[in-house]
Amino acid sequence: MLIARDIASARGILGGWRSAGESVAVVPTMGNLHEGHLALMDIAAQSAHRVVATIFVNAMQFDRADEVASYPRTFKEDCEKLIARGVDLLFCPDHKVIYPHGTEHQTRVELPGLTEILCGAHRPGHFTGVTTVVTKLFNILQPDVAVFGEKDYQQLQIIRRVVEDLNQPVSIVAGATVREVDGLAMSSRNSYLSSDERRRAPLLHRALRTVVARLLAGERAFAQLERAAMLSLRSNGFEPEYVQVLAADLGSPTHSQLSDLVVLGAAWLGKARLIDNLPLRKVVEEGARLAAR
């Protein structure tokens, strides 16, 4: 695996591949890689001739400075995992490479509306940090394909919209959420959980599954279902930020077909902020596959 820490080196390597007629897929990450990230590398390998992973802890998308400082950095282990997965290039720039004038003077990419709901309502400026750094990475690396996980559902929809609005020639491919055996969505932030919190953490996923089950049973009182899930989480020691039923495009669910709904939730458990989602389309498809067996 090649490693590039500056823009010129990365572009030189990529230029050689493009001259040979090879396509490129990129998987942006902040490191501390787990199986969920590595599954995205596999999807990238199926989508293009060459796979590029990025590791950059993006200060611009964090709410608090202490979060940036405490974010787990496991570069050696990450490299070993990427090599084992057959990644061709790791782009791991430092802060000054991406933000030579500092984040305060950085040109920003902003998307009104979609970035101000759900996680955006609780983390002002977070998605501007995401859209800005992803746009910069696309401009630097110029990939044919970029792969993002469905676990960060709102982020995925936002990036798709930015690519569309800015006419960026990048195909966005989604990777399914990868879960632990007990249903907890894999996340770098899971390492913040104590042993007791780790035992309770899957209850977020179960709370969302309960909402899905009630929707499939015919209930449509969305606000009531959301309140019940929030109450369940609080009673189990979580500090929920939201549980919401929305249309798959994150618009109003009122006139949507059942299979076009998604249930999303975010909650603090100790020092870990956990997020999860369940698109009903996938639940319905899974049920149909099981019924056909």
Side-chain angles (χ1 to χ4, degrees):
M1 180 180 71
L2 300 171
I3 297 177
R5 298 182 183 273
D6 62 81
I7 294 171
S9 297
R11 285 180 169 171
I13 295 165
L14 292 163
W17 292 341
R18 290 196 183 91
S19 296
E22 296 179 316
S23 56
V24 174
V26 65
V27 184
T29 84
M30 293 203 298
N32 194 28
L33 303 180
H34 52 68
E35 193 59 35
H37 293 115
L38 301 178
L40 301 182
M41 306 297 165
D42 294 342
I43 294 171
Q46 296 165 7
S47 305
H49 297 102
R50 297 285 187 170
V51 177
V52 179
T54 74
I55 294 179
F56 178 67
V57 180
N58 181 33
M60 197 173 175
Q61 71 189 65
F62 284 84
D63 307 80
R64 306 188 305 262
D66 62 318
E67 271 198 299
V68 182
S70 64
Y71 193 85
R73 290 164 170 82
T74 54
F75 185 75
K76 180 181 177 182
E77 295 84 352
D78 290 347
C79 286
E80 291 170 353
K81 292 174 182 178
L82 294 174
I83 291 169
R85 223 64 174 209
V87 169
D88 298 290
L89 170 64
L90 170 60
F91 180 53
C92 49
D94 68 20
H95 183 83
K96 289 184 179 180
V97 170
I98 299 298
Y99 301 121
H101 306 294
T103 56
E104 290 154 2
H105 303 288
Q106 169 64 42
T107 300
R108 294 163 189 260
V109 178
E110 297 185 350
L111 173 64
L114 199 55
T115 61
E116 296 157 4
I117 61 173
L118 301 171
C119 290
H122 296 273
R123 305 183 69 190
H126 166 70
F127 285 119
T128 295
V130 171
T131 53
T132 298
V133 78
V134 168
T135 298
K136 285 183 71 69
L137 289 172
F138 286 175
N139 288 341
I140 292 166
L141 302 172
Q142 300 180 341
D144 301 283
V145 176
V147 186
F148 294 87
E150 284 189 338
K151 195 264 292 183
D152 297 289
Y153 189 90
Q154 184 179 10
Q155 173 179 279
L156 175 63
Q157 305 313 311
I158 288 168
I159 289 168
R160 282 175 166 160
R161 174 68 180 279
V162 169
V163 166
E164 177 185 352
D165 285 359
L166 298 183
N167 306 111
Q168 294 175 307
V170 184
S171 297
I172 304 300
V173 176
T177 302
V178 178
R179 300 183 181 278
E180 305 285 358
V181 175
D182 56 11
L184 177 65
M186 289 188 179
S187 169
S188 298
R189 296 175 187 269
N190 291 349
S191 61
Y192 298 160
L193 296 167
S194 69
S195 57
D196 176 63
E197 291 162 352
R198 175 62 187 84
R199 179 182 57 79
R200 285 182 285 139
L203 293 174
L204 174 60
H205 178 58
R206 292 180 209 170
L208 301 188
R209 289 201 73 90
T210 297
V211 174
V212 168
R214 293 175 69 175
L215 289 169
L216 292 174
E219 295 189 47
R220 291 296 180 273
F222 300 130
Q224 183 177 331
L225 292 172
E226 292 163 358
R227 284 194 298 270
M230 295 270 281
L231 181 61
S232 172
L233 289 169
R234 285 195 187 96
S235 68
N236 284 285
F238 289 78
E239 295 179 25
E241 289 185 345
Y242 64 82
V243 173
Q244 281 192 250
V245 181
L246 293 173
D249 63 359
L250 301 183
S252 170
T254 307
H255 302 295
S256 298
Q257 297 290 327
L258 186 64
S259 60
D260 290 331
L261 298 177
V262 58
V263 183
L264 308 104
W268 286 88
L269 186 58
K271 297 179 180 179
R273 184 178 184 273
L274 307 177
I275 63 171
D276 204 346
N277 67 84
L278 284 173
L280 267 74
R281 171 183 53 81
K282 292 205 164 187
V283 177
V284 170
E285 289 173 354
E286 180 184 345
R289 283 196 301 270
L290 291 173
R293 289 181 180 177

